[in-house]
Amino acid sequence: MRRGSLVQLILLGLVAAAITTAVAWFVPWLPEAGGEEADRIHFVYWFTTVIAIGVFSVVAAVLTYSVLKFRARPDDDSDGPPVHGHTGLEIVWTAIPTVLVTAISIVSAVVLAQNSHAGDNPLKVRVVAQQFAWQFTYPNGQTYGHMTVPVNRTVELDITAKDVLHSFWVPQLSQKQDAVVGQHNKLVITPTKVNTYPIICTELCGLGHSLMRSRIEVMTKADYDKWYSTGGRKAGQDPGLAVFNQFGCGGCHTFKAASAGGKVGPDLDKLKEEAATAKKPLEDFIRESIEDPNAYVQPGYSPGVMPPFKGQIQPNDLDALVKFLAENAQ
Ligand code: CUA
């Protein structure tokens, strides 16, 4: 090959590499990494992307060069020269991809092993998924509708489901795990930034799938210890409001007294009107709607979207919640 041709090939390769590198680098393909596992996963993405850019640039350069240099001239009706392959070339283009794919699989295997290692003293949280809500139970037996964790501590989740398949996912933490009835699946997360991220159900699980969201609050250790001992309840706070927040009712419902603006379920500020439509006494109606939401479904809403909370809220907490809702309903 002449020197000038080689220079042309290299220039074409550099142009292809520059364009694809720009697309990889400047487009925000991945969410900001918020945990150790996410950092490792992002490393695998970049490791693979760099290899892909290299392969693409070589192929694009040779292809473009060939199209320009060896294209048929307008007056050329002859067949091309017969080509019988090139053993050396075939060995090279088999060996290089083999090495690259092997390297990717080794890096991936190491990262997967590291990402499922919880260490000696993880914070253990039990996660139960059901249509269409998440529940998180801490070592002290308290259950919440959202997660709270200390920063830089490894958390081991024990994930299961009550009804159908669901899947736990926090995009910024990069870890995903299916929630399966009768199985206890493990997932390790180690958040490294004080922040709040969405928890998303990422397995189509029914009508309310897209609404099956919660949040994970990552706090400093001091804030977390305080939250853990008080359950997030503030001194002097209405116990019913505390329960309302604990189970994340505001994620779906509007209720002014709780500063909640959820739009998924019925507006709880109109509870009196709704109880009258259902022809039930207010407190009985509220209690029934929490324990067995499908007993009466407000017109315009679908049954089966709200999970039944029967047996999931401590009796005195349920009493406080019913009282809080009844007293503050319009
Ligand atoms: Cu639960 Cu989708």
Side-chain angles (χ1 to χ4, degrees), residues 230-301:
T230 61
R233 298 187 186 196
K234 297 181 189 78
Q237 186 183 34
D238 185 307
L241 172 60
V243 178
F244 187 93
N245 290 332
Q246 174 173 346
F247 286 90
C249 307
C252 289
H253 296 285
T254 291
F255 197 53
K256 285 203 196 82
S259 313
K263 296 269 181 269
V264 174
D267 183 346
L268 301 182
D269 284 320
K270 297 186 182 139
L271 270 171
K272 282 185 179 159
E273 204 180 292
E274 287 159 6
T277 316
K279 298 193 178 61
K280 286 174 185 169
L282 183 61
E283 291 209 4
D284 292 353
F285 174 68
I286 294 173
R287 188 176 294 272
E288 181 192 73
S289 299
I290 295 168
E291 292 195 306
D292 181 13
N294 296 320
Y296 170 84
V297 177
Q298 180 75 6
Y301 293 90

Side-chain angles (χ1 to χ4, degrees), residues 108-300:
S108 304
V110 169
V111 165
L112 279 177
Q114 287 177 329
N115 277 4
S116 56
H117 183 66
D120 298 329
N121 184 29
L123 166 65
K124 294 195 173 190
V125 179
R126 282 184 287 134
V127 181
V128 177
Q130 64 174 319
Q131 291 169 321
F132 296 97
W134 296 98
Q135 282 180 358
F136 305 95
T137 305
Y138 282 74
N140 61 5
Q142 287 295 315
T143 297
Y144 300 90
H146 55 85
M147 271 189 91
T148 306
V149 293
V151 71
N152 293 326
R153 167 114 190 248
T154 300
V155 185
E156 186 182 305
L157 304 176
D158 172 282
I159 303 174
T160 191
K162 278 192 173 171
D163 37 35
V164 299
L165 284 179
H166 304 270
S167 190
F168 177 96
W169 183 40
V170 177
Q172 291 81 355
L173 301 181
S174 279
Q175 293 277 70
K176 259 185 193 179
Q177 183 60 273
D178 278 355
V180 184
V181 181
Q183 272 188 29
H184 288 267
N185 293 340
K186 202 179 104 173
L187 188 70
V188 174
I189 52 175
T190 314
T192 49
K193 288 174 185 155
V194 172
N195 211 331
T196 299
Y197 303 120
I199 293 172
I200 295 169
C201 177
T202 180
E203 184 80 59
L204 182 59
C205 55
L207 200 61
H209 161 68
S210 63
L211 313 171
M212 191 169 161
R213 291 181 172 227
S214 180
R215 65 179 194 281
I216 176 168
E217 283 181 37
V218 185
M219 300 178 168
T220 61
K221 187 175 182 308
D223 285 349
Y224 172 78
D225 288 343
K226 198 166 144 215
W227 173 86
Y228 192 69
S229 56
T230 61
R233 298 187 186 196
K234 297 181 189 78
Q237 186 183 34
D238 185 307
L241 172 60
V243 178
F244 187 93
N245 290 332
Q246 174 173 346
F247 286 90
C249 307
C252 289
H253 296 285
T254 291
F255 197 53
K256 285 203 196 82
S259 313
K263 296 269 181 269
V264 174
D267 183 346
L268 301 182
D269 284 320
K270 297 186 182 139
L271 270 171
K272 282 185 179 159
E273 204 180 292
E274 287 159 6
T277 316
K279 298 193 178 61
K280 286 174 185 169
L282 183 61
E283 291 209 4
D284 292 353
F285 174 68
I286 294 173
R287 188 176 294 272
E288 181 192 73
S289 299
I290 295 168
E291 292 195 306
D292 181 13
N294 296 320
Y296 170 84
V297 177
Q298 180 75 6

Side-chain angles (χ1 to χ4, degrees), residues 9 12 56-70:
L9 258 178
L12 283 169
F56 175 78
S57 303
V58 170
V59 172
V62 172
L63 196 66
T64 312
Y65 180 84
S66 305
V67 165
L68 294 176
K69 184 95 177 174
F70 303 116

Side-chain angles (χ1 to χ4, degrees), residues 32-54:
E32 172 214 13
E36 278 179 20
E37 294 76 17
D39 286 338
R40 294 190 197 112
I41 298 266
H42 285 202
F43 171 76
V44 177
Y45 270 111
W46 280 110
F47 183 77
T48 312
T49 302
V50 167
I51 289 174
I53 288 174

